[in-house]
Amino acid sequence: FFSIIRESKHPSSSSPQRCCHFVLRHQRRLPIQKLTSTMKLGTAVVFASAIAGASAFGVMGPAAPARPSTSLNARIAESDMTPEQLEITQLTDRWVEIRLYSDEEAQEKLSGEELEAHTRYHQTIKDDIEKMKVIAEMMVKSVEIPQVAKKSKTQRKKDAWAKKQALAAARAAEQ
């Protein structure tokens, strides 16, 4: 960045010759050169962060198919079922129907073991909801910490006066 200029006129000739006089001159970079080097650096940083951001997330696979993917999810044909499997299938279908009944509908339409199962299931769900409400309230309390209001100037003076009076009273009681 520095160049040495050693030109001077020799006394014996009129042409410039190299001599012992040294002058340092700083070669300045043009503003456009600074701008282009900054732009190159900025472009490299933006490009690198875009690549890092894109690689931070996994590649999404295809959406899950709406139909069952294996034969394990399919039902066996009723003609191929054993009597036990047929009974389990009928109970499952019945439960799918009755588990969505409201409490009033269940009292009207169900009886015996089905009513007990429905009541027990819905009571478990209601208990779980209540537990989650309590947990949610505790979480809200821990997140939203109540802020104590800042004392005013007059309140601070009143507190200081009360402290002085209490200290004076304690000293008077000692004597």
Side-chain angles (χ1 to χ4, degrees):
F1 287 81
F2 291 99
S3 65
I4 300 174
I5 301 176
R6 296 181 294 174
E7 296 182 11
S8 72
K9 293 190 175 185
H10 195 275
S12 62
S13 70
S14 61
S15 65
Q17 295 180 357
R18 304 273 178 206
C19 185
C20 296
H21 299 274
F22 295 100
V23 176
L24 294 176
R25 183 180 62 177
H26 179 66
Q27 291 179 346
R28 295 181 185 250
R29 296 175 82 182
L30 298 175
I32 194 75
Q33 290 173 332
K34 288 181 183 178
L35 182 63
T36 55
S37 67
T38 305
M39 287 175 57
K40 288 178 187 176
L41 179 64
T43 305
V45 168
V46 168
F47 187 66
S49 52
I51 290 174
S55 66
F57 301 99
V59 177
M60 296 297 292
R67 59 179 174 74
S69 59
T70 65
S71 61
L72 294 175
N73 295 332
R75 269 193 173 174
I76 302 171
E78 288 188 16
S79 60
D80 296 337
M81 288 186 188
T82 63
E84 293 133 3
Q85 289 174 333
L86 193 56
E87 182 183 351
I88 291 171
T89 304
Q90 290 171 349
L91 287 173
T92 303
D93 291 341
R94 180 69 178 144
W95 179 249
V96 168
E97 291 174 17
I98 66 172
R99 77 181 171 101
L100 298 177
Y101 286 168
S102 67
D103 291 337
E104 294 80 26
E105 285 179 309
Q107 290 292 333
E108 293 173 8
K109 297 179 181 178
L110 302 176
S111 63
E113 191 177 323
E114 286 180 345
L115 181 60
E116 280 183 36
H118 180 272
T119 307
R120 189 174 50 247
Y121 172 75
H122 279 271
Q123 188 60 43
T124 304
I125 298 297
K126 289 175 186 175
D127 292 344
D128 289 346
I129 290 172
E130 290 301 318
K131 287 178 187 175
M132 290 309 298
K133 284 181 182 178
V134 170
I135 291 171
E137 288 172 3
M138 290 180 353
M139 289 174 63
V140 166
K141 286 179 184 176
S142 68
V143 169
E144 296 175 359
I145 300 171
Q147 299 293 325
V148 178
K150 189 175 179 181
K151 289 185 179 181
S152 66
K153 186 175 181 180
T154 55
Q155 185 61 44
R156 285 195 309 263
K157 287 184 177 181
K158 288 177 184 177
D159 291 345
W161 176 251
K163 188 176 179 182
K164 285 181 185 177
Q165 292 296 320
L167 187 61
R171 285 184 183 158
E174 284 179 7
Q175 295 177 356

